[in-house]
Amino acid sequence: MRYARVSVGGRALWGRVGEQDVQLLSGSPLEEAAAGHDVIGAVPRAEARWLPPVVPPVFYAVGMNYPRHIAHAGARTPERPEVGYRANNALTGHRAPIVKPAEVTGRFEAEPELVAVIGRTLRHASHDEAREGVFGWTIGNDISARTWQHTDRTFWRSKNSDTFKPMGPWIETDVDALAQTTTLRVNGVERAEFPTGDMVFDPYDYIVEITKHLTMSPGDVLWMGAESTCHLEPGDTVDVEIGGIGVLSNPVLLEGNQS
């Protein structure tokens, strides 16, 4: 099943995504009574205005979790799962623009990532509970301004500026996400391809570690890192495809040229 959030008449509504349309629902599928939600309308899929599938208060992001990325960066392989935080103001949806700030210089990069969406409250989760606690999977594109990343003390703007975290287009609940292939394309040209599950630690390892200390709640997300990155310029269109889930596509614009 595929679930999405779409904008209809200025309202954010949940929907069930079909081949031709998005059936609008009266409530969130993350709620306990999801099966009882009524269908309250529909919009043609081709006309849907996609929002980020969820907007958690903060969200978790993994770094250096693919062996080839670690080797390329000359970094050490992590000994245990550790995560960072990202800010929800950075989230944007499928087909929405990634806006490059006018003062950004140097590498402006995309990283294609699998994203786990949490569907239940988890604390001190076992590996089995972590697996059962994942509601579904979506796609993320981790945009980074590398000069800011390397000169600032934190990632506060290099990874968290508005529009730097496209996510979507929907949540897929019925896929073996770790058995898929992740592909990154810029202007239709393939720039990276790698096995999605070729990770040092899988999502469930991270959930077990996180919930030793923090409570995870329905709607939380965990971005799983990437094997490869590529440079973007204003005027580009960047697509992230993960087999069995879909394609997240976003144009890149320069700040001040969004009209």
Side-chain angles (χ1 to χ4, degrees):
M1 192 71 69
R2 288 175 171 173
Y3 293 102
R5 288 172 64 250
V6 295
S7 178
V8 179
R11 296 173 60 202
L13 295 175
W14 280 95
R16 193 162 50 229
V17 182
E19 291 298 322
Q20 302 297 327
D21 62 11
V22 180
Q23 294 186 324
L24 305 175
L25 302 177
S26 59
S28 165
L30 294 169
E31 297 171 1
E32 290 292 335
H37 289 321
D38 296 326
V39 175
I40 59 174
V43 295
R45 180 165 154 175
E47 299 175 14
R49 296 183 59 192
W50 307 95
L51 300 172
V54 288
V55 182
V58 296
F59 58 96
Y60 305 99
V62 171
M64 295 299 172
N65 195 36
Y66 283 81
R68 285 183 60 186
H69 190 185
I70 294 168
H72 177 75
R76 292 189 303 171
T77 300
E79 297 179 357
R80 62 188 178 93
E82 294 185 71
V83 296
Y85 289 100
R86 299 291 180 263
N88 65 16
N89 65 279
L91 291 171
T92 194
H94 176 53
R95 296 180 181 160
I98 297 164
V99 180
K100 180 181 180 181
E103 66 268 34
V104 165
T105 59
R107 299 283 294 180
F108 187 68
E109 293 191 331
E111 297 183 55
E113 304 199 14
L114 176 69
V115 180
V117 181
I118 303 302
R120 62 180 64 177
T121 301
L122 297 171
R123 184 77 162 97
H124 298 297
S126 67
H127 202 270
D128 286 344
E129 289 168 337
R131 185 180 295 274
E132 293 170 0
V134 173
F135 174 76
W137 307 91
T138 189
I139 302 169
N141 188 352
D142 179 11
I143 302 299
S144 301
R146 298 300 187 192
T147 299
W148 286 352
Q149 181 177 342
H150 297 146
T151 57
D152 292 347
R153 289 190 302 115
T154 71
F155 292 163
W156 73 278
R157 59 176 178 165
S158 65
K159 287 181 174 286
N160 291 315
S161 291
D162 289 353
T163 78
F164 275 25
K165 294 294 174 284
M167 185 170 68
W170 46 62
I171 302 167
E172 173 61 68
T173 63
D174 187 21
V175 63
D176 182 356
L178 300 183
Q180 306 304 318
T181 298
T182 298
T183 306
L184 176 67
R185 300 183 185 91
V186 178
N187 303 326
V189 178
E190 184 177 305
R191 301 294 297 275
E193 184 179 271
F194 56 90
T196 308
D198 189 21
M199 302 173 180
V200 177
F201 298 106
D202 69 24
Y204 315 114
D205 295 327
Y206 276 94
I207 292 168
V208 168
E209 186 68 20
I210 291 168
T211 62
K212 289 178 183 177
H213 311 284
L214 310 174
T215 300
M216 300 190 81
S217 301
D220 281 348
V221 293
L222 175 63
W223 290 46
M224 290 308 306
E227 183 182 272
S228 302
T229 71
C230 79
H231 182 63
L232 300 176
E233 293 285 356
D236 289 341
T237 295
V238 56
D239 298 336
V240 179
E241 180 175 2
I242 300 180
I245 301 177
V247 179
L248 171 66
S249 182
N250 301 91
V252 182
L253 303 180
L254 183 66
E255 185 179 28
N257 293 345
Q258 291 101 296
S259 59

